[in-house]
Amino acid sequence: DAKTTQPNSMESNEEEPVHLPCNHSTISGTDYIHWYRQLPSQGPEYVIHGLTSNVNNRMASLAIAEDRKSSTLILHRATLRDAAVYYCILRDADYNYGQNFVFGPGTRLSVLP
Amino acid sequence: NAGVTQTPKFRILKIGQSMTLQCAQDMNHNYMYWYRQDPGMGLKLIYYSVGAGITDKGEVPNGYNVSRSTTEDFPLRLELAAPSQTSVYFCASSGAGGTGELFFGEGSRLTVL
């Protein structure tokens, strides 16, 4: 799997937007960009994923650079419940055998009241 | 649907003891995974399975064994427990395809003394 790079930690104020960056300069054409988050004392949960176009769902938006070498997870209005570790992961759509998602250390997001 | 269910949630073992962590999913997913997470770290893949009867090693398989006799169940066996295996263990599953979302269990916290 191609590697991703994320900042170790970020801070945000409650009810403000948060932009979590991820660099993936070695991304291949068939790699999907996935984001997961892990709340304290819980297992990771899916947030969003995309290939080339920007994506929106009820939790967040995913903005993908035109060259696909970076992406940004956008939380539109941070709440205290959004405090978590956020993981950016690449998944090769052609590599069906195994699908071993590789989790790096992620970005620890703190939300200040 | 219960999703991914792990048991036990907590366990203390003595050095040299053996035990099995149970994982079951009710989503008819072909792909199942076992991860471990040490304090403050990301998740590391132990073993994975692409279907009943098929398993393969991940990044950190030493000291563990798995089996996959049914689609639903993917138990993880610890033989001769060591303090280095003190960790939180997560089981996950996903449907087929490189874009498959990962669903995680709540985790099993294991302490080896």
Side-chain angles (χ1 to χ4, degrees):
Chain A
D1 288 323
K3 186 172 178 174
T4 63
T5 304
Q6 300 176 252
N8 290 334
S9 62
M10 292 184 63
E11 266 187 8
S12 172
N13 293 318
E14 196 175 11
E15 298 188 5
E16 290 187 355
V18 182
H19 291 234
L20 297 164
C22 181
N23 288 319
H24 28 78
S25 58
T26 59
I27 191 170
S28 74
T30 52
D31 279 334
Y32 279 77
I33 302 160
H34 284 243
W35 283 83
Y36 286 77
R37 73 178 186 181
Q38 187 173 21
L39 302 173
S41 301
Q42 294 188 26
E45 63 177 351
Y46 169 82
V47 178
I48 200 167
H49 78 277
L51 182 62
T52 56
S53 303
N54 294 344
V55 184
N56 300 298
N57 66 21
R58 65 175 179 81
M59 289 181 69
S61 296
L62 176 60
I64 302 172
E66 194 169 337
D67 64 4
R68 301 210 325 124
K69 293 186 176 182
S70 65
S71 61
T72 302
L73 179 70
I74 302 166
L75 308 178
H76 295 287
R77 284 179 74 244
T79 69
L80 297 178
R81 194 190 175 279
D82 291 322
V85 178
Y86 287 79
Y87 299 99
C88 170
I89 302 156
L90 300 183
R91 283 301 305 133
D92 188 343
D94 284 345
Y95 183 58
N96 284 324
Y97 190 82
Q99 289 195 63
N100 43 339
F101 288 78
V102 177
F103 286 76
T107 296
R108 182 173 299 277
L109 175 66
S110 301
V111 180
L112 307 177
Chain B
N1 285 352
V4 178
T5 304
Q6 290 184 235
T7 56
K9 287 186 169 46
F10 302 94
R11 182 74 186 267
I12 298 175
L13 282 181
K14 294 182 179 178
I15 294 172
Q17 287 185 320
S18 299
M19 75 160 298
T20 299
L21 298 176
Q22 302 292 343
C23 176
Q25 53 92 8
D26 61 0
M27 296 172 282
N28 201 33
H29 284 166
N30 288 326
Y31 300 87
M32 296 188 74
Y33 313 81
W34 273 105
Y35 290 91
R36 61 175 286 174
Q37 185 174 36
D38 298 332
M41 306 294 286
L43 283 75
K44 292 188 177 180
L45 183 67
I46 306 171
Y47 270 95
Y48 64 92
S49 169
V50 301
I54 306 171
T55 63
D56 207 347
K57 297 177 180 179
E59 184 183 0
V60 289
N62 292 344
Y64 307 94
N65 277 301
V66 294
S67 60
R68 185 94 182 271
S69 57
T70 66
T71 299
E72 295 78 20
D73 300 301
F74 190 40
L76 177 71
R77 177 95 179 146
L78 281 74
E79 304 282 2
L80 300 175
S84 61
Q85 293 177 304
T86 294
S87 191
V88 179
Y89 293 82
F90 290 101
C91 179
S93 72
S94 71
T99 63
E101 173 186 343
L102 269 180
F103 293 84
F104 282 85
E106 294 183 350
S108 298
R109 184 177 296 274
L110 175 67
T111 301
V112 181
L113 301 174

